[in-house]
Structure formats: C-alpha cells, structure tokens
Amino acid sequence: MKENVISATVVTLLLFLNTCLLNGQLPPGKPEIFKCRSPNKETFTCWWRPGTDGGLPTNYSLTYHREGETLMHECPDYITGGPNSCHFGKQYTSMWRTYIMMVNATNQMGSSFSDELYVDVTYIVQPDPPLELTVEVKQPEDRKPYLWMKWSPPTLIDLKTGWFTLLYEIRLKPEKAAEWETHFAGQQTEFKILSLHPGQKYLVQVRCKPDHGYWSAWSPATFIQIPSDFIMNDTTVWISVAVLSAVICLIIVWAVALKGYSMVTCIFPPVPGPKIKGFDAHLLEKGKSEELLSALGCQDFPPTSDYEDLLVEYLEVDDSEDQHLMSAHSKEHPSQEREQRPAREAQGS
C-alpha cells in the first residue's frame, strides 16, 4: 500500500515538472548587486541586476547584517532608490561599519541568492554634480580678458561642519571639437581660464569628488560664445613670435649655405690687400729691400760711391781755422759751399 502511495507521488511530481518544463517555467536566475552609492556619508543606496525569472512572477528581497552581528535585517526602503534597489536612511546608516548583504530571488519553482557584498559607507561616497554653473567672459580695462566660471556644491552635502571636503574639476571644449580640455580647481568654487580661441562657442562642465570616494557625474553643459576680438594671453603671442623668428633664421641660413658663403665671411669680411701696381708681396716676405725699392721706382737710393768721394775730398781741404768756420757755415748752407769752392781754389793758384 505504501509503495503504491510513493509511486503515485513520484509520478505526480514528474508530471508536474514535465508540465512546467514544457511551459518554460524554471527557478529564477542568480541576481547580482553591482553598485552601492552614498551621496553624503549619511545615507546610501544599493542596486542589483535580476537574473532570469524562469517564466514566472519573481519576488526580490535584500537582507543584510552588520559585521560582528548575527541578526539578519531586511531592506528598509525598496522605493526611494527606484526599481531593483534598496535605500538606507540616516537611521540605518553607520559610519566605519561594514554591511554584509545579499539579494534573494523567489518564484513558484524555487529560489536563488546573489553573492555576498561587503560595503563600507566611507568608501562608496559619490556626490551629486555641482549646481548653478555660471560662465562669463570678462574684459577689464587694466587686465587681460578671461573666461570666468562659478558654481555651487551639491545641496545634500553639508560643508559647514568641516568633516566633508569636496574637490572640483572643470572641462571645456569648442562646440565642434572632439577632445575636452580639463582643469583641476581644487576646493575653490570659482575658476579663470585665459587661453581661448576667439569667435568659438564653448561647452563648459564641472564635477566634484570627496576626499574618499568617486567623482560625481558631470553637470549639465553650459554654453558660452567667445567674442571675435578676444585677445590671447601674452604667453601664446610670444610663443608664436619665437616660432616665426626661428623659421626666418633657418631660411636665412639655408639660403647662405646654398650660395657657398659661410656665416663668418658674411659677418667679418676679409681686409683688402694693397692695390699698388707692380708691387710683389713676395719680395717683402723675402726681405729683399733693394728689389722692393727698385719695384717702387726708387733708383740709386741710398747713394754709396759718390757720397764717399765727397767725404774724402772734404777731409783733405779742412786744414785751417778759416776752413773750420767755413765748414761750420757750410753745414748750414752746403749748396753755397760747393759753389764757392772752385773760386777759392782759383785764387790760391
């Protein structure tokens, strides 16, 4: 009798399973908790991806316990975070405590559980984007024109207490450009940019992150038109001048090299040599002064033989005091002495 009851039960179960398989009804697939986020260290939310539902209505529940505790708790709020989420309000959030949680999926065919996830609220902070981004082009009279931007921190974060610090980052690009230009702003909520392209329409965005945590999403883009007469900063101008000067120098050097002249010859030209007709510089190098003077037209210089004869003749007739006086006088007037000497010789004879 018992064997008949067991056999009937097994057959019924097989028929039920066969019917379920023919209808595509299966236990639910394994869910996955893929993200937990806290906007301000005071609350946080976790989201999961459901597995297959097995062709049947499936219910999901999140259970958790804090590290060091054994009592399990169910998610306090399935609505605030949206579908497939669990939201923890201030009364359920503890700093420096680790949460161990998992998701249970159940339908008529059975249940499945996600892997356990360990969460510390301190390290899952991701704030909301900054608010009220304002962008202006300012052109003061005594300073260079610049792009000025200002924003406000997210409303859910209380910065007055000092235990929460936000860092900011800005990005901008021309409307038709593909790449963004990024600037780190630190903790300030104002920023200036000088290097812009005149006549361009720019997109500007800002985001923030805490000292521990993740960058927020970028704020909605703000558009700004840069005037066509927007003056570039001096650095860009000087760079352009330097590049242009270098190109000009290279062209000059290249042109000089093609003509076969060196830079030294162009800057320090050689001193021209003597232009005397018939002058041979080799005679001067060899030390032949007679040939050099001959080449210059100086014949019979200095006199040699005639000068010695005159000296001897003068010494022979110099034998009296009168001659001494006359010789002294002749020194002053040598030409007159030569004219008077024949007359005195005639008188003496």
Side-chain angles (χ1 to χ4, degrees):
M1 185 68 180
K2 291 181 180 181
E3 294 178 355
N4 293 333
V5 173
I6 294 174
S7 299
T9 303
V10 171
V11 170
T12 302
L13 290 174
L14 291 174
L15 290 173
F16 176 76
L17 291 174
N18 187 36
T19 302
C20 292
L21 292 174
L22 290 175
N23 294 331
Q25 296 175 346
L26 296 171
K30 182 179 179 180
E32 176 190 8
I33 305 174
F34 68 92
K35 181 181 180 181
C36 290
R37 170 181 173 263
S38 172
N40 52 8
K41 296 183 180 180
E42 297 179 357
T43 63
F44 72 99
T45 304
C46 292
W47 292 266
W48 66 82
R49 296 188 184 96
T52 57
D53 59 7
L56 295 171
T58 304
N59 295 323
Y60 295 91
S61 62
L62 184 145
T63 57
Y64 70 95
H65 68 278
R66 296 181 180 89
E67 190 174 24
E69 298 178 354
T70 57
L71 181 63
M72 298 294 295
H73 307 276
E74 187 175 356
C75 170
D77 184 355
Y78 289 106
I79 299 175
T80 302
N84 302 321
S85 70
C86 178
H87 177 73
F88 294 80
K90 293 183 178 180
Q91 64 272 32
Y92 301 100
T93 302
S94 300
M95 294 290 296
W96 312 112
R97 297 289 298 274
T98 301
Y99 290 73
I100 304 170
M101 59 185 66
M102 64 180 179
V103 175
N104 178 22
T106 306
N107 63 13
Q108 292 180 356
M109 299 300 298
S111 300
S112 62
F113 298 89
S114 68
D115 295 332
E116 289 184 340
L117 180 68
Y118 291 75
V119 175
D120 188 334
V121 178
T122 307
Y123 298 100
I124 61 170
V125 179
Q126 185 181 24
D128 295 329
L131 304 173
E132 302 174 355
L133 175 60
T134 302
V135 184
E136 296 181 17
V137 175
K138 294 193 175 183
Q139 295 181 314
E141 295 181 357
D142 56 341
R143 291 184 295 173
K144 302 172 186 176
Y146 58 88
L147 185 66
W148 177 82
M149 54 198 70
K150 184 179 180 180
W151 58 89
S152 300
T155 55
L156 294 179
I157 293 180
D158 184 10
L159 299 176
K160 297 179 181 179
T161 57
W163 68 289
F164 203 103
T165 302
L166 282 181
L167 305 176
Y168 298 95
E169 191 175 56
I170 301 163
R171 72 175 184 179
L172 72 161
K173 70 169 183 175
E175 185 177 16
K176 298 181 180 179
E179 296 183 358
W180 293 85
E181 178 184 338
T182 305
H183 298 272
F184 181 70
Q187 299 183 26
Q188 60 183 343
T189 56
E190 297 183 10
F191 200 75
K192 298 178 182 179
I193 297 179
L194 298 175
S195 56
L196 297 171
H197 298 286
Q200 294 282 345
K201 187 176 183 180
Y202 275 80
L203 285 74
V204 183
Q205 292 179 301
V206 62
R207 65 177 180 175
C208 60
K209 74 178 292 292
D211 45 1
H212 295 91
Y214 303 95
W215 284 105
S216 71
W218 290 101
S219 67
T222 300
F223 294 84
I224 184 70
Q225 179 70 40
I226 308 300
S228 299
D229 58 348
F230 189 86
I231 302 175
M232 299 173 65
N233 62 332
D234 291 343
T235 303
T236 306
V237 174
W238 282 113
I239 291 175
S240 302
V241 172
V243 172
L244 182 59
S245 302
V247 172
I248 293 174
C249 292
L250 290 176
I251 293 174
I252 294 174
V253 173
W254 176 72
V256 172
L258 287 180
K259 292 183 178 180
Y261 296 106
S262 65
M263 293 300 295
V264 177
T265 304
C266 294
I267 299 174
F268 305 104
V271 179
K275 302 297 182 180
I276 302 176
K277 185 177 180 180
F279 178 78
D280 189 358
H282 295 289
L283 297 177
L284 183 60
E285 295 176 357
K286 295 179 180 179
K288 297 180 179 181
S289 60
E290 295 179 0
E291 297 180 7
L292 177 61
L293 295 173
S294 176
L296 295 174
C298 301
Q299 301 293 336
D300 298 331
F301 180 86
T304 55
S305 60
D306 294 342
Y307 178 77
E308 292 176 357
D309 294 340
L310 292 174
L311 181 61
V312 172
E313 182 180 358
Y314 173 78
L315 292 174
E316 288 177 352
V317 299
D318 189 13
D319 57 356
S320 65
E321 294 181 0
D322 295 336
Q323 294 294 334
H324 282 292
L325 294 175
M326 293 180 65
S327 63
H329 178 73
S330 63
K331 290 181 181 180
E332 298 178 0
H333 305 283
S335 61
Q336 296 179 2
E337 178 65 23
R338 285 193 297 268
E339 293 177 357
Q340 295 174 3
R341 184 169 56 187
R344 288 196 302 271
E345 289 178 356
Q347 292 178 0
S349 60

